[in-house]
Amino acid sequence: MKKNLLSLILFIFIFSTLHAQISVNPTSDFYTDALGWYLKGYVDSLPQLKPYSTEVIEKILMAVMEGESVSESDREDAEVYYKRYFGRKIHFTVEGNFSSHFDMTEDDEDSSARYEDNYELYSAKASLGGDVKVNPYFGFGYDFGIRGLNNNELLSDRLPMYDGNREYHKMDDFYFKEGDVDFLLDLNANVTFGTERINGSVGYSRTGFGLDPASDIILNPAAFQMPNASVNFDAGIFEYTQFTGVPVAQSQTVENKYTWGKVFSFHSLRVPFFNRKLLLSYYESCMYGEGFNPSYLLPVPWIIIGEVSSSLLQLPLTKL
């Protein structure tokens, strides 16, 4: 029986600059800070879906930068975000890391028998991105990148989901191989529109819902990007969010074959109580195929739509 003697992992961050753009990246540090600003009372409300539109992002940052009761450190953080993401229309980002793992074990029956396991892992990403506000009602964000990962080690269980489970990310249109390196295209773009009360986006990106964006299998920053459209309406006494996306589905018979054959719909009704100190939400999600069904755009409980559709399918057919 082997006994672990030593396990050492060394991480070296080669170079890291800006994070991906806020309006296409639901894992940006901005969203953690925005939640903190909301809890401190600097911001009245936050949308239910991430990423936010450029209009909402600017509104949040301006509220913190100009608020009278805002702490100096929070004000400085908001100014940094504003200058970083709205100061220039184009950003070039390079980030990477290198890790070295050393593991030593010995056999309980023979203490002189020692086994060593060494491996190294590296990855790097280069991207171009920007958050651009065209006018008070229209903007767009984009982040086009390419990531390289060494493929000479089977380390899928030792890396974060998106970087590590590379066998699930070798989509035909987004992956190519050169020697011992896997290259993954990481493409994100959203067009955003609207005002403070009603706004939305159309594009190709990842999405997060709720305080923990990684808790949902599809509305998850670690999931694939997908073509999507969303709208948010804040009436003050309630907030309604509608999201429609076309996620990729993996073939059960063809390796690394992914298709967009399903439609994912999601909506949420949120009602604030006690001066927004308590928020209650009712939300539903549905995955369906065989074409687009516009009934899932209706702001009514979809369980009713499902029951009606099921009943219609069971009606007897007669020839005229």
Side-chain angles (χ1 to χ4, degrees):
M1 180 178 181
K2 295 181 180 179
K3 179 173 61 178
N4 185 59
L5 291 182
L6 176 64
S7 182
L8 174 65
I9 302 178
L10 174 65
F11 291 95
I12 303 174
F13 292 92
I14 301 172
F15 182 62
S16 180
T17 56
L18 305 179
H19 293 281
Q21 301 312 118
I22 301 175
S23 61
V24 294
N25 177 25
T27 64
S28 169
D29 292 341
F30 164 80
Y31 294 101
T32 301
D33 288 334
L35 177 60
W37 296 335
Y38 170 73
L39 295 176
K40 293 177 182 178
Y42 304 158
V43 181
D44 293 334
S45 64
L46 296 175
Q48 299 184 72
L49 285 179
K50 306 176 183 68
Y52 304 158
S53 67
T54 53
E55 295 80 9
V56 172
I57 293 170
E58 185 178 47
K59 171 198 168 187
I60 293 172
L61 294 176
M62 293 300 295
V64 178
M65 289 190 293
E66 298 177 354
E68 296 181 357
S69 60
V70 177
S71 68
E72 192 62 30
S73 61
D74 287 327
R75 194 187 313 276
E76 292 176 356
D77 289 341
E79 291 174 351
V80 169
Y81 280 121
Y82 193 88
K83 293 178 182 178
R84 174 184 294 176
Y85 292 104
F86 292 99
R88 290 184 297 167
K89 296 182 179 180
I90 299 178
H91 296 278
F92 177 69
T93 303
V94 177
E95 58 181 280
N97 66 74
F98 168 83
S99 65
S100 179
H101 180 100
F102 177 75
D103 188 31
M104 179 182 293
T105 59
E106 74 173 15
D107 195 313
D108 286 343
E109 299 178 357
D110 184 3
S111 60
S112 63
R114 294 191 177 185
Y115 307 90
E116 295 182 2
D117 178 23
N118 301 294
Y119 63 84
E120 295 179 346
L121 178 72
Y122 57 86
S123 67
K125 178 184 176 182
S127 62
L128 287 174
D131 290 302
V132 181
K133 184 176 180 181
V134 179
N135 58 48
Y137 308 104
F138 178 79
F140 63 91
Y142 64 96
D143 184 69
F144 304 140
I146 182 170
R147 183 183 297 273
L149 303 159
N150 64 315
N151 60 17
N152 56 335
E153 297 284 355
L154 299 177
L155 305 172
S156 60
D157 60 337
R158 305 180 185 183
L159 280 174
M161 183 181 297
Y162 181 70
D163 292 341
N165 293 344
R166 62 188 69 176
E167 64 269 26
Y168 300 114
H169 293 271
K170 294 180 180 178
M171 297 171 61
D172 293 339
D173 298 333
F174 299 88
Y175 161 80
F176 62 94
K177 179 180 178 180
E178 187 65 36
D180 292 335
V181 181
D182 288 343
F183 291 96
L184 306 173
L185 297 181
D186 191 5
L187 310 178
N188 305 269
N190 280 334
V191 175
T192 63
F193 55 88
T195 64
E196 295 180 9
R197 287 297 184 187
I198 182 168
N199 55 79
S201 69
V202 177
Y204 182 74
S205 65
R206 299 178 180 87
T207 306
F209 169 72
L211 299 180
D212 182 8
S215 62
D216 190 278
I217 191 171
I218 294 180
L219 300 181
N220 187 325
F224 281 129
Q225 301 99 316
M226 61 178 158
N228 66 83
S230 65
V231 62
N232 303 283
F233 176 60
D234 185 354
I237 58 175
F238 71 88
E239 301 166 40
Y240 180 75
T241 295
Q242 171 77 46
F243 175 90
T244 301
V246 185
V248 293
Q250 184 178 12
S251 171
Q252 296 294 319
T253 58
V254 182
E255 183 180 2
N256 296 329
K257 181 64 176 179
Y258 295 80
T259 59
W260 283 292
K262 301 289 185 179
V263 178
F264 174 77
S265 289
F266 168 89
H267 66 175
S268 174
L269 177 67
R270 186 168 70 179
V271 181
F273 296 94
F274 307 116
N275 197 24
R276 306 193 69 88
K277 290 182 172 60
L278 174 66
L279 301 174
L280 296 180
S281 299
Y282 171 81
Y283 60 89
E284 296 175 306
S285 61
C286 177
M287 183 82 75
Y288 61 92
E290 302 300 329
F292 176 69
N293 186 344
S295 62
Y296 285 100
L297 297 178
L298 299 176
V300 298
W302 289 341
I303 189 172
I304 299 176
I305 295 177
E307 291 293 334
V308 172
S309 299
S310 177
S311 299
L312 291 176
L313 289 174
Q314 296 176 19
L315 291 177
L317 299 179
T318 59
K319 293 184 178 181
L320 297 178

